[in-house]
Amino acid sequence: MTETARGTERRRAATIGDVAALAGVSPGTASKALNGRGNLRAETRERVAEAARKLGFRPNAAARSLLSGRSYTVGLITTDSIGRFSIPVLLGAEDALGAGRIAVFLCDTRGDAIREQHYVRTLLDRRIDGLIVTGRRTDPRPPVDLPAPVPVVYALGPSTDPRDLSLVPDDAGGARLMVEHLLATGRRRIAHITGPAHHTAAAVRAEETVRALAQAGAELSGGQVLYGEWSEAWGRQAVHVALRADPDVDAFFCGSDQIARGAADALREAGRRVPEDIALAGYDNWEVMAQATRPPLTTVDMNLAELGRTAALRLMEAIDGRPSQGVQTLPCRLVVRDSTGVRAAAPAPDGG
């Protein structure tokens, strides 16, 4: 063989037949394994994937779409222009979809219904295989108006149509985790500062906070939930209100990290030490906010990346003809930092 022939041989792109031969399967089986389709054993899929890696096989996207009748793209529509909530959902979805070499088109509607319809039509024109709808709130929302049928999964904000599949964080469970943690550190007079009462997230977290405290025989400091805004300014203001209502309050559970950051400032200005005098906790695990709070903030993580990953997996099931319906909740997790240290013991009385 001449040097030119050898060079040509080295440069020849691997084919699905090459992958199949190396893996010891038929080309059809190799194609199914690489496309995530068919009822194949896990070891067969792994053997084919390993053969593809060794050969540097890169499937032809156009041919793949033509043979399967799919575009191998999905849309992700969000109302969260800041990206605080939608970006983790997107990253989780991409992790799951990447295994099937599925691309994601992200569209930000900025909460505008007309813009949403524009993006829906644009995505359908691109022949997407499915759609994930997310946002920045957990309030129920009307289903997307689809001029052509494609599978849809709602993540974070559920659809009002029970026939749709909606994945939401278990905010009640998250609030209970925090209350149990604060009680375990010795706190008994816990105040709850949160966002607007008409927001589902604020209402659900507040209701479970009150319920969990009552079941434990503890007090809601001040006797009522303090509803306001999702802002540091409200956190600062609410702390002064709560201290006037109950000077003996020993913990603040805030409905968001942003509120808690403002509360930390107000407590410091009032001469109350965190966590020695008063424990402080937030919600969302917004890393940049929680880590910048002094001391670093104990909070609840809604596991948004896992929410996105699960939404993508459910969407792929629906694309394969196995759709689900209803609202499904995913667990939150407690993230403990310095702001809720164990309460210092009271000094012993004289002569004790």
Side-chain angles (χ1 to χ4, degrees), residues 346-352:
D350 292 342

Side-chain angles (χ1 to χ4, degrees), residues 64-345:
R64 184 183 183 213
S65 295
L66 185 63
L67 290 171
S68 66
R70 290 176 50 185
S71 66
Y72 292 92
T73 58
V74 302
L76 191 148
I77 286 182
T78 180
T79 60
D80 178 21
S81 57
I82 298 174
R84 162 65 189 95
F85 298 100
S86 61
I87 295 302
V89 171
L90 170 65
L91 294 177
E94 283 188 326
D95 283 345
L97 295 168
R101 297 186 176 89
I102 297 174
V104 183
F105 291 120
L106 174 63
C107 300
D108 174 21
T109 70
R110 305 176 199 175
D112 185 314
I114 295 176
R115 188 183 295 268
E116 178 174 280
Q117 274 306 296
H118 164 72
Y119 282 132
V120 166
R121 289 191 297 269
T122 300
L123 291 169
L124 290 175
D125 286 345
R126 289 178 174 268
R127 301 179 61 83
I128 57 169
D129 296 324
L131 182 64
I132 297 174
V133 180
T134 188
R136 56 190 174 88
R137 288 166 57 173
T138 59
D139 299 313
R141 54 150 294 155
V144 172
D145 184 13
L146 290 171
V150 296
V152 182
V153 175
Y154 296 82
L156 195 65
S159 168
T160 54
D161 189 337
R163 295 170 297 180
D164 291 327
L165 174 63
S166 302
L167 301 175
V168 300
D170 182 7
D171 271 335
R176 179 169 288 273
L177 281 174
M178 185 59 76
V179 170
E180 291 173 349
H181 169 69
L182 292 171
L183 292 172
T185 65
R187 319 293 169 162
R188 302 297 293 177
R189 304 176 73 88
I190 300 171
H192 188 53
I193 306 169
T194 193
H198 64 276
H199 282 201
T200 299
V204 169
R205 295 167 193 175
E207 288 168 7
E208 190 60 29
T209 295
V210 173
R211 183 182 298 112
L213 286 171
Q215 290 174 351
E219 292 188 45
L220 178 67
S221 177
Q224 64 180 355
V225 174
L226 297 175
Y227 293 101
E229 301 297 326
W230 302 112
S231 68
E232 293 181 53
W234 166 237
R236 290 190 292 270
Q237 178 185 347
V239 160
H240 296 302
V241 173
L243 289 175
R244 286 195 298 270
D246 181 9
D248 294 325
V249 58
D250 58 17
F252 283 99
F253 173 24
C254 301
S256 77
D257 294 343
Q258 202 163 0
I259 292 174
R261 176 75 180 273
D265 292 342
L267 287 169
R268 188 162 48 250
E269 292 164 2
R272 302 294 185 99
R273 299 171 302 164
V274 176
E276 293 85 355
D277 302 326
I278 296 179
L280 178 64
Y283 206 104
D284 294 336
N285 196 29
W286 188 357
E287 287 273 352
V288 67
M289 188 71 63
Q291 295 285 11
T293 302
R294 289 292 174 262
L297 189 63
T298 292
T299 183
V300 174
D301 192 313
M302 293 187 289
N303 286 330
L304 296 177
E306 178 62 20
L307 193 75
R309 191 187 76 85
T310 305
L313 293 175
R314 296 291 178 270
L315 184 63
M316 287 193 285
E317 291 172 359
I319 292 170
D320 286 337
R322 295 175 287 125
S324 303
Q325 295 183 342
V327 177
Q328 299 179 12
T329 58
L330 276 68
C332 301
R333 66 184 178 93
L334 181 69
V335 180
V336 178
R337 298 190 179 96
D338 296 343
S339 67
T340 57
V342 177
R343 188 179 188 184

